[in-house]
Amino acid sequence: MPKVKTNAASKKRFALTGTGKIKRKHAYHSHILTKKSKKRKRNLDHTALVNDANLKSVRELLCLR
């Protein structure tokens, strides 16, 4: 049986917290920032947790049970 490989793109985009939750970054914070307000850019800067609807697929990409 072959090894199960972790998806390389996913391991760059997601991180585990100490309690086992999965952190993600917000989209829309990489370019074309001049038209976005300071408040919007500031709120996009923080990390968020992966939603329950997507949790199963992200865990499979990261090879977490």
Side-chain angles (χ1 to χ4, degrees):
M1 180 126 175
K3 289 183 185 177
V4 179
K5 288 190 175 182
T6 300
N7 183 278
S10 296
K11 68 184 175 186
K12 295 170 190 172
R13 287 170 171 78
F14 299 105
L16 281 172
T17 64
T19 56
K21 296 174 183 175
I22 302 174
K23 291 191 298 186
R24 65 170 179 86
K25 291 182 178 170
H26 286 281
Y28 307 112
H29 191 62
S30 57
H31 59 92
I32 314 176
L33 298 173
T34 52
K35 63 175 79 170
K36 295 170 189 161
S37 68
K38 283 185 178 185
K39 180 179 179 180
R40 183 174 167 192
K41 289 185 280 191
R42 184 172 62 244
N43 289 335
L44 289 172
D45 199 33
H46 305 298
T47 57
L49 294 175
V50 172
N51 193 287
D52 291 338
N54 303 318
L55 198 56
K56 185 182 175 196
S57 57
V58 172
R59 289 182 77 83
E60 286 175 1
L61 289 169
L62 295 172
C63 296
L64 303 170
R65 281 198 261 149

